[in-house]
Amino acid sequence: MNFEPKILGILCKWCSYAGADLCGTSRKKYPPNIRIVRVMCSGRVEPTFILKAFEKGADGVLICGCHPGDCHYAEGNYKTVRRFPLLKKMLSQLGIEDERVRLEWVSASEGERFASIVSEMTEQIRRLGPFSRNNGGGNG
Amino acid sequence: MSEPRIGVYVCHCGSNIAGIVDVEEVTKFAQGLEGVIVARDYKFMCSDPGQEIIKKDIQELGLNRIVVASCSPTLHEATFRRVCQEAGINPYLFEMANIREHCSWVTEDKEKATEKAKALVSAAVRRVIYQEPLETREVPVNPNTLVVGGGIAGVQAALKIADSGHKVYLVERSPSIGGHMAQLDKTFPTLDCSACILTPKMSLVGSHPYIELMTYSEVEEVSGYVGSFKVKIRKKARYVDEDKCTGCGICQTKCPFKVDSEFEVGMGKRKAIYTPFPQAVPNIPVIDREHCAYFLKGTCRACEKFCEVKAIDFEQVDKVVEIEVGAIIVATGFNLFDPTPIYQYGYKRLDNVITSLEFERLVNSAGPTGGNIVLKDGSTPRSIAIIHCVGSRDKNYHEYCSNVCCMYSLKFSHLIKEKTDAKIYQLYIDMRCFGKGYEEFYDRLSEEGVYFIRGKVSEVTDQITSEEGKLTILAEDTLLDSVIKLPVDMVILSCGLEPQLDADKVTRLFNISRSADGFFLERHPKLDPVATMNDGIFVAGCCQGPKDIPHAVAQASAAAAEALAMISRGKVEIEAATAVVNEELCSGCRICNALCPYNAIDFDEEKKVSRINEAVCKGCGVCVAACPSSAITGKHFTTKQIVAEIEGVLV
Amino acid sequence: MAKLKVALYWAASCGGCEIAQLEIGEKILKLAEAADIVFWPVAIDVKYKDIEAVPDQSIDACLFNGGIRNSEQEHMANLLRKKSKIMIAYGACAYEGGIPGLANMFNRQTIFDRVYSETPSTDNNDKIVPQTNYQVPEGELTLPEFYDTVRTLRQTVDVDYIIPGCPPEEKTTWLALEALIEGKLPPKGSVITHNVKAVCDECPRKRDVKKVKKFYRTFEIISDPEICLLEQGLLCAGIATRGGCGAPCPQTNMPCTGCYGPVEGVIDQGANFLSAVASVIESNDPEEIQRIIDDIHDPVGTFYRYSLPDSLLRRARIK
Amino acid sequence: MRKISIDPVTRLEGHGKIEIFLNDAGEVENSYFQVPELRGFEKFAEGRLAEDMPQITQRICGVCPEAHHMASSKALDDLFHVDPPSPAKKLRELLYSAFYVTDHTTHFYILAGPDFVMGPDAPVAERNILGVIAKVGLELGGAVIKTRMQNHHIIHMLGGRAVHPVFGLPGGVSKGLNEEERKEVEQIARDSVEFAKLSLKVFDDIVLKNKMYVNMITSDAYTHRTYYMGLVDENNKVNFYDGKVRVVDPEGKEFAKYPPREYLKHVAEHVEPWTYVKIPYLKNVGWKGFVDGNESGVFRVAPLARLNAADGMATPLAQEAYEKMYSTLGGKPVHYTLAMHWARLIELLYAAERLMELSRDPEITSPNIRTIPTATPDEGVGIVEAPRGTLTHHYITDEKGVIKKANLIVATVNNAAAINMSVKKAAMALIKPGKEITEGLLNRIEMAWRPYDLCLGCASHTVPGQLAMPIYVYNSEGILIKSLD
């Protein structure tokens, strides 16, 4: 089937967004399924953003931040490191597959890496099929 | 919030965007979005005529929000914000959709690229509706500067600033400024005498009207923020009245107690009352309580008896002074790697295995041997091995290259050649002679008949003795690809440079960070090499990473320039997109308190709410995302704005 | 001024809300002066038919408690909305789905399987399950249709006001009724409580900077009665829960479980609670962090105890 | 073919309804008691933390949350293999006794009382608490309100909240009692004992001294010979909080006596397609349909059943009252459904006396109220006597104490079969061809199930005693001809 996943990307301004920019300037191609939103730091990402994305029809969410230790704000991404696993644990409890939500470290120099992450994730989600609030039954 | 009147401008960027994205269609799409008054496309929005279009529309159509769909904001956000400002719209009411780097340049499929561009535009449009005007705030800059560390870097920075007629506090923890450079003999590659070029600078510092020198002092506390730091400095008791002391030195001659001299790295002695070295600045001795007979036994006071100006004061106590400065330059230097743990090299175990710094003193005419290169038994060595990369480029100790060892090792061979006819072996991994005149120096030394052996030394032993030497070096010659045994009389370990042992304490003190190697982290390795993550605090010299004197001096001058730039402007802009606590909603749960990397959040015990010091806040938003009450707003990245953007990209 | 006409109704709830309404005690007389309770199946013998008969908008206010679990409740919600000028969601179940909303982790099939076949005391070899229409020899019996998903009142009909709590504390109930009686209701959509701030604002425990190395379960420790429970490693929802209750649970040495719903303006209570809790984990080492959150065994039941149907995801996905 | 119809009629009402079908002759053919609601706690308990059960499961019923809270806390003690310190157990029982006082008071005066005080034929408008107060006097009315308020206060004091307390934990309780509070409790207990005594006197004066009522109580329309179940202490005395489950047969002989853990050997649940509630019966007798007698597994719970299943009451005054009831009604067991009201008042007295004992217990103010569990949790069963009958909570967890399976047999539900039967029997006795069906008549049918103090808050979630359980009467063509709702 030719299902085109919608993937939300939330990227930190300093490393990952710049990495995605580099990806562009060096004309690396990756699937257009990802839509990028910029935040100052991956530590700004509220779990609400990810849930909101699914509510609004995203099929996957990719969070990118500076590598641990490289955070522009010294430790912002470590807060992400704390929140993300707990959020993932809850999402899996709610039946959301692991592949749909990813956290990756992408530095400003890793345009290549960004492209491959996006391509890989797009394929994985294409295989999973669309996200839907499936209640497994017929009614309500 | 006034009814949004949005203008959307889609850039062709020549064919960069238009070649893939159907800009006309994107423009048509934008036209249909809620709140959009006008949508246009143009060849180059960033060009003057492009900018004119926006200004004209703002004036004629009364637009109050602008979206430009073009390249990455890192390129032109500033440009278009300026355009808005000039046309009378607050720059924060502008939003950019990146349809080049994130779209046309990374996608081949024209249809999908156009779809994506639409999504990005709709996101920007929805977001901009919720954006609010922000004022970039400025704070005044206190014209005084604090320089921490009196090595060559600190000295250089202090002088540069002071010469411009601005006050500098120079704080050094040892009794004299000068740092490691004062211990060196000659300097590579020019071989001019270290003392000769350093001491004039030191005495300048000592006498400079704009420099307040605080030696034997340490920074204890730093508060405030860029432009107005408050710093507490502890002046340790010298037991010598600085105002009375004439520096005659009689006290030192009369003092009956001898102690190993730190300056001579244990190879020479000093008294219990001492100045580290003859050219010390200030030339005022200190009494070292640990070894002073009076402090130990309660008797002696010889120095006091002989001091004509009555400068000795056993009653002196530490003083804590508080100063206010606008900028701080941290130049706390390095620590020489201690090779004792590398057992197989025999340091401290075998006679005549010495460190590079010990050799600097040994070869220094003002040093313990008057500059004679001798073995422990007083005889002159006939062969000397210099082992490179001791503690550097070594997974077990420091992975990084210490930058200077190759060059000072070469310098050593030359100095040895000058004074003895000993055979010299350089055991190196790679020769790194990258600086100006360095390679030439290397060539010159090769001609002087120094043996260069490429290979890492596996062991230094005194078990295999032979005619030619008391020590034997076991190493692999990777060029000959054979194991070699070198009999030598003396082994010099070219130790690497490592962060000061208390560097972590210093990072906490100044709230700056360290890179993986433990040296202080600059804001950007290339474009911002002296600033730190903490505005108004700069780094210079080896505390930021191993470097030779010219680089340390250069960086110090750069740091001085940074500080002076702030001073001469008189004010600094601070982040406008900060976080603020809504006290109407804050329950005082204190979740956010420990999260701020800049300690910008404190708790009001009276009102039981948390508060953010906007002057210190950098707007990372970590606290915003953590607040369970959503009581913290991250300006320009509010939850409303980001959620609107998310809804927008997912249309 | 004419007496107000007030209706009270319950759907998928436990009856605790009715008790809470009775708990206003002597104030009930004040209410009786100002309002005629035209419909209150608990206490007053008025028939549904009468309600269907009254003109639309003729009831001034309806206090509706309980979530929407089946077709009958949905019907009544719509009926009462039609008849009432003001629709008030009373209590956690009507507001957010409440604890019965945790059923959204499953669906009708899995619930029926458990209740009518798997439970060890059940004797049901012929796999009988209740039918919405069933022919007995004497005629037909009907039952309402049981839905897969519990919905909140707001997801079913337009709601004007919310009175939170499981059940609402007496003072909260009265705050709303008084406003109703005196015609001093806040703007439409308001959640009516004494406090817009989180429970911490009302909690007498001492609070400090939060750094948590281990999360404990209520039975694992005897907590210090003076200090913030979260600081002691107990997952107290007070930080993420609207106040107005007076923080009774922390004062009984038990963590708040979040029954008053999100703080004013919060999009998703559970998400905020989760984010805050994770943020104060005192470690930057992924392995250690993983070990620490391994002690949180039921994130959904912890962070969405009362609010799963009202959360952004509303329910678990079932393959 | 006569078509009787009583306004109002609606098919949507009710969280419990009764359907009565007449045959061509106009006699009662059959009747059905339906519970049209389910929330599935047994399912969504899965994945939750065991220790959250006392708070989660009490949302089954906001009328008797304390009962679920206790059953659940006890199941957790068993699950975690932990024995709470004796002060903790006493505190639980203290709160529980206070709850019993409020609950039995509510039922007798506000829900059941009107039938007797005002008489079954009194107009609906008067058949309510206000009517009762008017008749028995404001003083008693005030005492009713006061007793409820005071005992609710005790629940609030210990449990933290008036509805849905939060103090039960595996191994104990979260909050203790200080001396001032204890004094307060003691005072309330004293008042409550007096109130209970007064209530029994009221019953004596108004009911027992009225021939018509006594005849009604002992009439066949309101009689069923069934098994009875209740919790008893080591002396086979009635106990609400703890002990073994005892079952007696219609002759009053002990049929079974078992610890909570063995409940599955004795109780099973039957499923009917026309109601969401399951119908428990005695496994070792078997399901024979909605019939009584020794051969049918149908059993009854709640006050009368508890008294029938026990050998007496553990407190002196209650024991007196107990003996009086049986001597008056001709010995044990008593099969008269309406005697349930009397039994309830005897229990009210017991609860008040027990409250008194506990409030004076030297241990009651001890700070030793928690034992921290150390063993690995696996499986636990907790049984208490809810006012409406034997309440069973059964959990199975993983080694972390996360619920894998849960099973609940809720108090009221135990009477499901009996209620069906009682309604049918009353209907058959009262609805006769050619005889007009008056409201009083239908109220007499209601009186057949009201004694069970039907808590559909538990079965589904109605509040007990309200007229929210409508009665529908259908003719032989299945056409609704009359209803009382």
Side-chain angles (χ1 to χ4, degrees), chain B residues 11-21 23 42-45 100:
Chain B
C11 181
H12 296 212
C13 194
S15 64
N16 279 308
I17 295 171
I20 297 286
V21 173
V23 287
Y42 184 72
K43 276 237 155 300
F44 291 101
M45 283 314 302
R100 193 179 75 175

Side-chain angles (χ1 to χ4, degrees), chain D residues 308-426:
Chain D
N308 280 339
D311 296 348
M313 311 303 287
T315 56
L317 298 176
Q319 177 62 23
E320 267 176 50
Y322 175 93
E323 284 158 14
K324 177 178 179 193
M325 180 182 88
Y326 283 108
S327 57
T328 313
L329 296 176
K332 285 179 69 179
V334 165
H335 295 298
Y336 311 129
T337 308
L338 293 178
M340 195 81 84
H341 296 301
W342 194 349
R344 184 167 291 109
L345 290 177
I346 295 166
E347 285 193 339
L348 172 64
L349 181 54
Y350 165 70
E353 286 186 286
R354 186 72 188 124
L355 185 64
M356 175 85 89
E357 286 177 3
L358 289 163
S359 73
R360 291 173 174 171
D361 189 301
E363 265 191 347
I364 205 72
T365 51
S366 158
N368 176 25
I369 55 174
R370 285 273 302 278
T371 306
I372 305 272
T374 50
T376 310
D378 40 37
E379 181 167 6
V381 179
I383 294 183
V384 297
E385 280 296 328
R388 292 151 195 85
T390 313
L391 169 61
T392 308
H393 282 219
H394 178 194
Y395 315 133
I396 297 172
T397 68
D398 63 14
E399 73 290 349
K400 297 259 178 261
V402 176
I403 301 282
K404 290 205 327 248
K405 299 280 171 229
N407 191 30
L408 308 163
I409 302 179
V410 169
T412 290
V413 171
N414 290 297
N415 280 329
I419 291 165
N420 252 302
M421 290 151 55
S422 298
V423 168
K424 185 174 177 184
K425 193 163 186 182

Side-chain angles (χ1 to χ4, degrees), chain C residues 10-11 13-14 41 47 72 114-116 121 123 131 138 144 166-167 217 221 252-254 297-298 305, chain D residues 8 12 15 32 37 48 51-52 59 62 161 166 174 269 273 276 278 281 370 400 406-407 461 466 485:
Chain C
W10 75 95
S13 59
C14 67
K47 313 297 178 294
E72 178 195 67
R114 176 66 193 162
V115 174
Y116 298 113
S121 49
D123 153 33
Q131 307 295 319
E138 304 80 9
C166 184
R217 291 163 66 179
I221 55 165
T252 315
N253 304 320
M254 292 293 271
H297 298 286
D298 177 19
R305 174 72 58 85
Chain D
L12 276 156
H15 298 265
Y32 296 86
E37 219 261 351
R48 311 284 78 78
E51 66 271 25
D52 290 340
R59 264 69 181 193
R161 309 186 65 210
V166 297
S174 70
E269 296 175 288
Y276 279 119
K278 292 182 287 182
Y281 63 92
R370 285 273 302 278
K400 297 259 178 261
N407 191 30
H461 60 88
Q466 57 166 289
D485 44 10

Side-chain angles (χ1 to χ4, degrees), chain A residues 8-75:
Chain A
L8 170 69
I10 308 180
L11 276 56
C12 103
K13 163 184 171 158
W14 301 99
C15 294
S16 310
Y17 193 91
D21 279 354
L22 175 64
C23 200
T25 30
S26 48
R27 309 296 200 278
K28 291 267 356 146
K29 303 287 183 270
Y30 57 82
N33 304 63
I34 189 159
R35 311 269 196 265
I36 293 168
V37 164
R38 181 177 62 151
V39 290
M40 293 299 276
C41 175
S42 62
R44 171 66 182 92
V45 176
E46 299 176 34
T48 301
F49 298 165
I50 291 126
L51 301 175
K52 191 74 186 174
F54 284 115
E55 190 214 16
K56 291 294 169 186
D59 300 297
V61 180
L62 171 65
I63 313 289
C64 295
C66 312
H67 288 267
D70 299 354
C71 178
H72 178 82
Y73 304 102
E75 294 214 316

Side-chain angles (χ1 to χ4, degrees), chain A residues 4 6 17 20-21 24 27-30 32 34-35 37-38 40 43-44 46 52 56 72-73 79 83, chain B residues 72-74 77 98 101-102 105-106 112 116 119 533 597-598 620-622 624-625 637 639 647 650-651:
Chain A
E4 285 301 339
K6 270 191 195 168
Y17 193 91
D21 279 354
R27 309 296 200 278
K28 291 267 356 146
K29 303 287 183 270
Y30 57 82
I34 189 159
R35 311 269 196 265
V37 164
R38 181 177 62 151
M40 293 299 276
R44 171 66 182 92
E46 299 176 34
K52 191 74 186 174
K56 291 294 169 186
H72 178 82
Y73 304 102
K79 308 303 183 296
R83 293 173 190 138
Chain B
S72 167
T74 25
E77 189 170 49
N98 183 346
E101 282 83 348
H102 290 185
W105 277 355
V106 291
K112 286 180 180 157
K116 183 173 182 178
M533 292 305 172
Y598 308 97
C620 66
V622 162
V624 182
F637 285 88
T639 302
E647 291 175 348
L650 292 171
V651 288

